[in-house]
């Protein structure tokens, strides 16, 4: 019998816990997703929002196709024996109210909180303060004083805060924290479920909601941030930018080319007919990826 490269998969869940799954020669990603859906109490309608991914040390997501057999997978820098994977949100909903299961909403909340903590979700200072106050209410409704509130705040949000947020409060951490605590006091009696829904609904309006982010180089070899989502591609000047410099929805992207480290995207001018097979394509946008993660993201069915 052929020896398997991996004997077990260590899967990290959104609540931070890990589950170990023994592997055999025919166990596929779809099989593991079924096990995880049962473990997390996901219903049939909502389990399709989740996927299984390998996340590298730069936090790039490599989503695995459902037909993939896990036992013989290999990733750079990971020794054989046990493969480490992540169970996470793969398809983000446009509206939180399209979800039918409270468990799914809770898991989406954990994913969004993780992205907010890592600085992947940004907005202006006043809206950020409101989101922070709602987040505090989700985790604790009975904070007696501002000192206790600040202790919680430092645990659930990045310290120091994003540069744009800090600048909004004139570089004063005390001013920012005081504003957040003041808003929290108004939410103190709000039910936890309502606070969570309001938090998610607020975040879903932010430009970078529902995206996976990749650091790339443009044609002039300047570093920038590319956000890939089910809506299309958005190009940001850097990780601290709130609004994208360019947005390309999938309906204007005719062809995607990838060779070595070079990424080329053909953008169709709105109002112009699609090119036929006899025309020579012209490239309006090209980028250089620092690694293969961007290529896999754009070619992934999630983004089509």
């Amino acid at each position: 019998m052929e020896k398997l490269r991996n004997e077990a998969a260590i899967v990290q869940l959104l609540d931070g816990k890990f589950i170990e799954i023994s592997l055999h020669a025919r166990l596929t990603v779809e099989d593991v997703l079924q096990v995880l859906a049962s473990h997390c109490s996901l219903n049939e309608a909502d389990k399709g929002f989740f996927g299984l991914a390998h996340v590298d040390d730069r936090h790039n997501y490599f989503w695995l196709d459902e037909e993939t057999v896990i036992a013989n997978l290999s990733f750079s820098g990971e020794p054989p024996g046990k493969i480490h994977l992540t169970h996470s949100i793969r398809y983000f909903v446009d509206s939180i109210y399209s979800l039918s299961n409270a468990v799914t909403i809770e898991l989406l909340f954990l994913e969004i909180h993780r992205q907010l903590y890592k600085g992947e979700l940004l907005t202006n200072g006043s809206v950020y303060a409101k989101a922070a106050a709602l987040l505090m209410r989700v985790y604790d409704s009975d904070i007696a004083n501002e000192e206790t509130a600040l202790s919680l705040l430092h645990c659930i949000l990045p310290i120091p805060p994003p540069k744009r947020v800090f600048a909004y409060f004139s570089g004063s951490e005390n001013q920012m924290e005081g504003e957040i605590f003041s808003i929290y006091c108004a939410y103190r009696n709000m039910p936890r479920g309502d606070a969570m829904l309001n938090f998610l609904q607020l975040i879903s309006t932010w430009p970078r909601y529902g995206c996976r982010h990749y650091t790339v180089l443009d044609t002039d070899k300047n570093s920038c941030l590319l956000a890939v989502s089910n809506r299309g591609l958005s190009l940001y000047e850097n990780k601290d930018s709130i609004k994208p410099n360019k947005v390309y929805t999938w309906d204007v992207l005719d062809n995607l080319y990838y060779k070595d480290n070079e990424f080329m995207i053909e953008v169709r001018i709105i109002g112009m007919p699609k090119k036929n097979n006899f025309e020579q394509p012209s490239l309006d946008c090209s980028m250089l990826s620092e690694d293969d993660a961007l290529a896999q993201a754009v070619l992934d069915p999630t983004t089509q």
Side-chain angles (χ1 to χ4, degrees):
M1 181 180 295
E2 182 181 355
K3 181 176 175 58
L4 301 179
R5 187 182 193 279
N6 304 301
E7 298 176 353
I10 308 297
V11 182
Q12 182 173 5
L13 307 178
L14 278 166
D15 61 5
K17 297 178 181 178
F18 293 84
I19 181 172
E20 181 170 334
I21 299 176
S22 298
L23 303 179
H24 58 74
R26 296 183 180 180
L27 192 72
T28 65
V29 169
E30 183 179 11
D31 297 328
V32 173
L33 286 174
Q34 291 286 359
V35 172
L36 295 173
S38 176
H39 179 83
C40 297
S41 301
L42 297 174
N43 64 16
E44 192 67 26
D46 288 351
K47 68 180 184 180
F49 292 112
F50 295 81
L52 201 61
H54 168 70
V55 182
D56 67 12
D57 55 3
R58 296 172 58 199
H59 307 292
N60 292 316
Y61 278 68
F62 297 82
W63 295 105
L64 305 179
D65 293 334
E66 290 190 350
E67 299 80 13
T68 301
V69 175
I70 298 178
N72 291 316
L73 282 175
S74 63
F75 298 104
S76 177
E78 188 163 288
K82 293 183 178 180
I83 189 170
H84 292 79
L85 302 171
T86 297
H87 183 243
S88 191
I89 301 290
R90 184 174 184 177
Y91 301 92
F92 289 85
V93 293
D94 292 329
S95 171
I96 184 64
Y97 298 106
S98 64
L99 297 176
S100 60
N101 187 359
V103 173
T104 309
I105 294 173
E106 185 94 29
L107 293 175
L108 176 61
F109 166 78
L110 292 174
E111 169 68 21
I112 296 304
H113 180 202
R114 184 196 64 79
Q115 292 188 2
L116 186 66
Y117 186 85
K118 291 171 61 178
E120 296 175 0
L121 295 169
L122 295 175
T123 187
N124 64 53
S126 61
V127 179
Y128 187 91
K130 181 179 179 180
L134 286 167
L135 190 61
M136 289 175 62
R137 168 58 196 93
V138 171
Y139 283 107
D140 196 335
S141 64
D142 191 25
I143 299 177
N145 53 60
E146 188 169 353
E147 182 179 353
T148 305
L150 296 184
S151 178
L152 172 62
L153 188 64
H154 291 176
C155 291
I156 62 177
L157 284 176
I159 301 297
K163 292 180 180 179
R164 281 185 173 272
V165 174
F166 205 44
Y168 176 85
F169 292 102
S170 304
S172 171
E173 191 170 328
N174 289 336
Q175 181 181 342
M176 181 194 72
E177 292 172 344
E179 176 73 11
I180 293 173
F181 181 70
S182 176
I183 300 173
Y184 163 79
C185 289
Y187 293 150
R188 183 175 287 163
N189 295 323
M190 181 183 291
R192 180 178 182 272
D194 289 355
M196 184 178 294
L197 288 175
N198 284 327
F199 171 81
L200 290 172
Q201 190 66 15
L202 178 64
I203 297 287
S204 69
T205 64
W206 296 10
R208 284 162 62 174
Y209 164 78
C211 297
R212 298 293 177 184
H213 303 91
Y214 300 85
T215 301
V216 299
L217 302 177
D218 62 18
T219 49
D220 296 322
K221 296 190 176 181
N222 297 314
S223 179
C224 53
L225 189 72
L226 186 70
V228 183
S229 73
N230 63 346
R231 300 182 296 275
L233 305 178
S234 301
L235 192 64
Y236 294 83
E237 183 177 352
N238 54 55
K239 66 178 183 179
D240 297 315
S241 302
I242 294 178
K243 295 183 179 180
N245 291 338
K246 295 180 180 179
V247 176
Y248 301 102
T249 55
W250 290 115
D251 61 340
V252 301
L253 299 178
D254 278 344
N255 293 292
L256 306 177
Y257 303 88
Y258 177 72
K259 183 178 180 181
D260 298 326
N261 286 333
E262 188 172 5
F263 228 145
M264 294 172 287
I265 304 169
E266 182 180 339
V267 181
R268 177 166 47 86
I269 300 174
I270 296 178
M272 295 290 289
K274 288 190 175 183
K275 300 178 184 298
N276 60 42
N277 293 334
F278 302 100
E279 292 181 293
Q280 183 69 23
S282 60
L283 300 179
D284 298 303
C285 177
S286 62
M287 304 171 191
L288 294 176
S289 171
E290 291 187 351
D291 60 15
D292 290 344
L294 179 59
Q296 294 207 14
V298 174
L299 295 176
D300 191 277
T302 305
T303 60
Q304 302 304 309

